[in-house]
Amino acid sequence: MLPLLFFIIATTYASVGFGGGTSYLALLTIFNIEYLFIPIIALACNIIVVTGNCFNYIRAGNLNIKFLTPYFLGSIPLAYIGGKFQITKEVFQILLFFCLIISGVLLLLQAKQYKLKIQIIKKIPFIVSVLIGAAIGLVSGIVGIGGGIMLSPILFNLKAAQPKQIVVGASLFILINSISGFLGQIQKLDNLLQLEPYFYLLLAVLLGGQLGNFLNIKILKPHILAILTSILVLFVALSLGLKIF
């Protein structure tokens, strides 16, 4: 059941440029996977899914490194530091629950922005961008997500860039932060081979991520995909909430 669910999540999230980390985390928690393994597995799956996203989006010519730089400056070191934090299982589950709820609501708000024909871009002060990146990076590292599912709706609602640039930026943000957080998280393990029983999940998300990219590029409209992803996130949040509260 778990590989199938991971495949569905990877497909859905990749279709809007995300990795699926929040839902991987929730499912692994619901299925009672060893607590220390959960963020590492989710981040590894994130890296696999968004690598494909980044390749397709950057090839399309929508990357704006100058726009993304302050967010990376804030997020990368904090994601690594957050990944090294030792927190209890209970605190981890509560943080994840609230991350899911916030992400789901923000995605619903983002769906409206896709319909706007003309975007009036507002320049976000450099220091504010750094602080946004730092806050998301810290939470991402601690919990084990890439953070793009929070960054993207924030940028959309702030009208910080054109929609295509934000989507590309969120994918790259997830990739870089997932790598940074992963490097912090794996220091908690004695041996990476402890994760060997879960390697099949990586294959599931690889296949799902490729299908999601196809759906995004060829079939479904972005605002429909954002709504579907939001519904999935909120459903998983509800399932997790029922387990921990």
Side-chain angles (χ1 to χ4, degrees):
M1 179 62 72
L2 202 55
L4 176 60
L5 292 173
F6 268 50
F7 173 83
I8 293 170
I9 287 170
T11 301
T12 308
Y13 277 72
S15 65
V16 286
F18 301 140
T22 47
S23 293
Y24 303 140
L25 288 166
L27 283 175
L28 292 167
T29 302
I30 292 169
F31 276 74
N32 292 315
I33 303 301
E34 173 64 35
Y35 161 59
L36 286 178
F37 298 167
I38 291 176
I40 299 172
I41 296 169
L43 288 168
C45 290
N46 256 358
I47 292 167
I48 290 172
V49 174
V50 296
T51 296
N53 290 345
C54 290
F55 177 78
N56 289 324
Y57 291 147
I58 292 172
R59 186 174 59 177
N62 296 310
L63 179 63
N64 185 339
I65 287 294
K66 184 178 179 181
F67 162 66
L68 294 171
T69 297
Y71 299 99
F72 286 141
L73 288 176
S75 69
I76 294 173
L78 270 295
Y80 176 78
I81 293 170
K84 296 179 69 174
F85 275 11
Q86 298 282 355
I87 58 174
T88 65
K89 182 177 181 179
E90 291 72 21
V91 171
F92 167 76
Q93 291 179 342
I94 292 171
L95 280 175
L96 176 57
F97 172 76
F98 283 108
C99 282
L100 286 166
I101 293 294
I102 292 169
S103 299
V105 172
L106 287 174
L107 275 173
L108 281 178
L109 296 174
Q110 175 176 326
K112 297 179 181 180
Q113 301 296 326
Y114 281 114
K115 295 183 178 180
L116 297 178
K117 300 298 182 182
I118 300 175
Q119 278 280 25
I120 301 173
I121 306 304
K122 300 177 182 177
K123 183 173 176 58
I124 309 301
F126 184 87
I127 188 63
V128 173
S129 300
V130 172
L131 291 174
I132 290 173
I136 296 175
L138 182 62
V139 173
S140 300
I142 293 172
V143 178
I145 59 176
I149 199 170
M150 290 186 282
L151 178 68
S152 179
I154 290 172
L155 296 182
F156 264 99
N157 287 284
L158 290 176
K159 297 179 174 60
Q162 294 296 336
K164 289 183 178 179
Q165 292 179 336
I166 293 176
V167 171
V168 177
S171 290
L172 194 57
F173 188 87
I174 294 168
L175 178 59
I176 300 300
N177 280 307
S178 293
I179 293 171
S180 183
F182 181 82
L183 292 174
Q185 289 282 350
I186 59 174
Q187 295 184 42
K188 300 174 184 178
L189 296 182
D190 297 324
N191 190 340
L192 277 177
L193 290 178
Q194 293 175 270
L195 301 173
E196 186 176 357
Y198 306 103
F199 284 174
Y200 61 92
L201 296 176
L202 305 183
L203 176 60
V205 299
L206 174 63
L207 297 175
Q210 294 306 307
L211 177 58
N213 282 326
F214 174 78
L215 292 175
N216 182 9
I217 295 168
K218 302 291 184 182
I219 300 178
L220 299 177
K221 295 182 179 179
H223 72 280
I224 298 297
L225 292 169
I227 292 172
L228 291 175
T229 306
S230 175
I231 292 171
L232 174 62
V233 171
L234 292 173
F235 172 77
V236 173
L238 177 62
S239 300
L240 180 62
L242 291 173
K243 175 181 173 63
I244 64 177
F245 292 116

